[in-house]
Amino acid sequence: MFAPAREKKTYADYAALEEGAPYQLIDGELVITPAPTFLHQLVVWRLGNQLFNHAEQHGLGVVVGSPVDVYFSESETYQPDLVFIAKDRLDIVTEQRMNGAPDLVAEVLSPATSYYDLTKKRRVYEASGVKEYWLVDPAERSVEVLALVEGLYEIIGKAHQQGRAASRLLPGFEVMERLFSF
């Protein structure tokens, strides 16, 4: 016996939620996740601070952290941990959300979100044209940088336990080991 198919949710359903509700719209489902861990948030803040400072110093664009809505389609609206939008693409930003792919997305993995970050969201980021996708894993103390090459992601950098991961999109931006220590 087959289970009945659930009705897919749309952006209108998502937008009707109370402000600050901890949901993302993934593949037409409203997905709720628990609050992130201390280490997760520490890594988000450190990476975000480094990315923000680099973008500001070089006049490259804007960096924001979650919660901020990134609308990809009627069934896909995410709140990535960090996004970078190049200054010549700031027209994708409205008062309510970003319409379309930021230039760079960073997701800090956690047990509650890793499945989505590594599968569904990765596919949407790739198909939508997110130029760089940073996967940061506090448990493994690793950073993996994926770049869009001819429409598909390729790993262009990885740091595990030590070393640096660098951006191709943002020349001179690299992340150091200190990201994970406290």
Side-chain angles (χ1 to χ4, degrees), residues 37-68:
T37 65
F38 178 85
L39 181 57
H40 177 280
Q41 291 305 93
L42 180 65
V43 170
V44 168
W45 278 92
R46 283 189 176 154
L47 178 59
N49 188 38
Q50 291 177 28
L51 186 57
F52 175 85
N53 288 337
H54 185 82
E56 284 285 309
Q57 287 173 347
H58 296 62
L60 301 173
V62 175
V63 175
V64 293
S66 190
V68 62

Side-chain angles (χ1 to χ4, degrees), residues 70-90:
V70 181
Y71 173 92
F72 291 100
S73 72
E74 278 300 300
S75 62
E76 309 290 342
T77 299
Y78 305 156
Q79 293 185 354
D81 288 314
L82 294 165
V83 298
F84 164 77
I85 306 118
K87 66 181 176 183
D88 63 340
R89 296 191 61 248
L90 290 173

Side-chain angles (χ1 to χ4, degrees), residues 103-144:
D103 294 281
L104 182 150
V105 168
E107 294 281 13
V108 178
L109 303 180
S110 66
T113 63
S114 292
Y115 167 76
Y116 296 108
D117 295 337
L118 295 169
T119 59
K120 294 179 183 213
K121 290 171 79 173
R122 176 186 166 148
R123 286 191 296 270
V124 170
Y125 293 153
E126 186 176 59
S128 299
V130 173
K131 294 173 187 167
E132 275 190 11
Y133 184 29
W134 286 54
L135 291 162
V136 183
D137 189 341
E140 290 292 317
R141 296 190 173 348
S142 69
V143 178
E144 189 172 81

